[in-house]
């Protein structure tokens, strides 16, 4: 329960008191979402968002005056660090370990509007999942769901089941839960990604490209299989994004992709009812054995 005083509030979560500064500051003015409302939404999202941020090295993007204003990436844990916040070192950077609701709300109070975890666990070297990022060169891109469907169909023909998710911004990411007991490496998954990307570009040259430089892509949609790598990040499932619509990176059903759903449908004002209806679609997907594909593309 928050108590307002001198443009501040306090909230006690799991026994930890968190001070909230400027609780009425609008972070998404067009959507009417203030900081205190944002923290309430984070509290609702916590069981889902923490699943994909716990035991990862976390990068956040902070927008102190709201989504439309100046922002900066935060890798090193901001000082002072409350006693309940855990950190983890990697290559000289002291990352926040987002493993609890109090830590999430502390970051929310700092106007961290986006959460981007590593693909590997703290202290680990192997990927926890595999993602292909489908990145449009223009915004808006009306073909983005068509592009996602085509990549999903290519994977399906390879007997790889996947879950599409909105990036929360302009793109779509194809999420493949992997059988971690197989010990797949980043190098192995990149090899499959390269194969899928080259196949898709050859089959749909007017839609896809593997050109990394945006200025050289024209209006083609970039299949980014390179971003999935040790130390790199993508938007976490269920992270909010700093977009006008307060969109949320949301796993989809393939039938929603087929009907060309609008990623802006999934935002901080609608995500609660959606999760009550669907649950976490990624957690419902079976981990994939990729041995047959790796043996094929060698």
């Amino acid at each position: 329960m928050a108590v307002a005083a001198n443009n501040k509030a306090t909230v006690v979560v799991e026994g930890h008191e968190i001070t909230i500064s400027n609780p009425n500051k609008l972070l998404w003015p067009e959507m009417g979402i203030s900081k205190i409302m944002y923290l309430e939404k984070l509290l609702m999202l916590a069981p889902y968002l923490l699943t994909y941020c716990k035991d990862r090295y976390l990068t956040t993007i902070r927008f102190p005056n709201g989504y439309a204003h100046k922002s900066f990436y935060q890798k090193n844990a901001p000082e002072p660090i409350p006693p309940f916040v855990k950190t983890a070192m990697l290559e000289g950077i002291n990352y926040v370990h987002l493993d609890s609701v109090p830590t999430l709300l502390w970051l929310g109070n700092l106007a961290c509007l986006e959460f981007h975890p590593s693909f590997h666990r703290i202290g680990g070297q192997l990927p926890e999942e595999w993602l292909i990022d489908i990145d449009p060169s223009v915004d808006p891109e009306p073909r983005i769901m068509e592009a996602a469907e085509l990549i999903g169909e290519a994977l399906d023909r390879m007997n790889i089941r996947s879950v599409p998710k909105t990036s929360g911004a302009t793109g779509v990411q194809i999420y493949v839960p992997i059988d971690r007991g197989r010990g797949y490496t980043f190098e192995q998954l990149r090899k499959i990604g390269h194969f899928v990307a080259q196949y898709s570009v050859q089959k749909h040259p007017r839609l896809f490209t593997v050109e990394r430089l945006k200025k050289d892509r024209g209006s083609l949609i970039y299949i980014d299989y390179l971003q999935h790598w040790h130390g790199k990040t993508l938007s976490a499932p269920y992270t909010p994004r700093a977009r006008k619509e307060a969109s949320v990176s949301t796993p989809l059903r393939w039938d929603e992709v087929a009907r060309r759903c609008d990623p802006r449908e999934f935002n901080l004002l609608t995500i609660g009812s959606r999760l009550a209806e669907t649950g976490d679609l990624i957690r419902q997907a079976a981990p994939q054995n990729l041995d047959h594909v790796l043996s094929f593309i060698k």
Side-chain angles (χ1 to χ4, degrees):
M1 178 179 180
V3 180
N6 299 323
N7 206 28
K8 291 187 177 181
T10 59
V11 61
V12 178
V13 180
E14 297 179 1
H16 301 290
E17 184 175 293
I18 302 167
T19 299
I20 303 167
S21 58
N22 302 306
N24 297 316
K25 178 184 285 186
L26 288 173
L27 298 180
W28 285 274
E30 293 89 346
M31 302 294 283
I33 299 176
S34 63
K35 182 186 284 187
I36 193 67
M37 187 176 175
Y38 174 50
L39 296 183
E40 291 169 353
K41 298 299 183 183
L42 285 181
L43 192 61
M44 178 269 296
L45 284 170
Y48 304 92
L49 181 57
L50 264 60
T51 296
Y52 301 97
C53 293
K54 187 177 181 181
D55 299 325
R56 313 288 184 107
Y57 300 96
L58 182 71
T59 298
T60 61
I61 310 180
R62 292 174 61 181
F63 294 78
N65 295 305
Y67 86 91
H69 297 275
K70 185 178 179 181
S71 66
F72 58 94
Y73 282 79
Q74 182 95 58
K75 289 182 177 286
N76 273 299
E79 302 282 353
I81 304 172
F84 57 82
V85 173
K86 298 176 185 175
T87 61
M89 291 291 295
L90 178 66
E91 298 177 355
I93 297 174
N94 191 32
Y95 289 90
V96 171
H97 178 193
L98 178 48
D99 67 340
S100 70
V101 174
T103 299
L104 178 62
L105 296 187
W106 173 69
L107 290 171
N109 177 62
L110 295 175
C112 297
L113 303 191
E114 300 192 7
F115 300 85
H116 299 250
S118 62
F119 298 112
H120 54 92
R121 288 187 179 273
I122 292 171
Q125 296 293 323
L126 297 178
E128 290 292 301
E129 63 276 305
W130 175 41
L131 284 94
I132 297 176
D133 188 25
I134 307 173
D135 185 15
S137 301
V138 298
D139 181 18
E141 172 52 87
R143 305 170 298 171
I144 191 63
M145 289 298 163
E146 176 191 358
E149 186 173 40
L150 290 171
I151 299 294
E153 288 173 351
L155 291 172
D156 204 52
R157 283 192 289 272
M158 299 166 66
N159 200 28
I160 300 174
R161 308 294 174 253
S162 60
V163 180
K165 81 174 181 77
T166 66
S167 70
T170 59
V172 173
Q173 293 147 7
I174 307 299
Y175 191 110
V176 180
I178 57 174
D179 182 352
R180 294 194 295 273
R182 313 300 296 182
Y184 298 123
T185 65
F186 282 102
E187 290 84 358
Q188 288 175 311
L189 298 180
R190 179 171 284 188
K191 186 180 294 186
I192 304 175
H194 177 263
F195 178 86
V196 172
Q198 292 292 345
Y199 167 82
S200 300
V201 169
Q202 289 172 14
K203 188 158 186 176
H204 307 282
R206 296 184 180 180
L207 184 63
F208 292 122
T209 183
V210 289
E211 173 55 59
R212 194 150 179 83
L213 294 178
K214 192 169 186 177
K215 66 182 181 65
D216 295 331
R217 296 182 205 161
S219 62
L220 297 175
I221 295 172
Y222 175 45
I223 304 175
D224 188 354
Y225 63 91
L226 297 173
Q227 185 64 20
H228 185 264
W229 198 250
H230 190 276
K232 293 181 179 288
T233 68
L234 278 175
S235 55
Y238 308 108
T239 180
R241 298 301 299 268
R243 306 283 289 186
K244 177 182 177 181
E245 300 82 11
S247 48
V248 173
S249 179
T250 305
L252 305 173
R253 299 187 305 266
W254 282 112
D255 64 277
E256 293 176 310
V257 174
R259 73 168 172 81
R260 307 296 185 250
C261 63
D262 187 336
R264 294 171 296 184
E265 296 175 31
F266 312 103
N267 57 59
L268 284 173
L269 301 184
T270 62
I271 191 66
S273 58
R274 176 178 177 81
L275 288 171
E277 175 193 349
T278 67
D280 184 354
L281 295 175
I282 292 175
R283 299 285 284 183
Q284 297 165 28
Q288 299 295 293
N289 184 323
L290 305 175
D291 289 356
H292 64 291
V293 181
L294 287 167
S295 64
F296 170 76
I297 64 175
K298 281 182 180 178

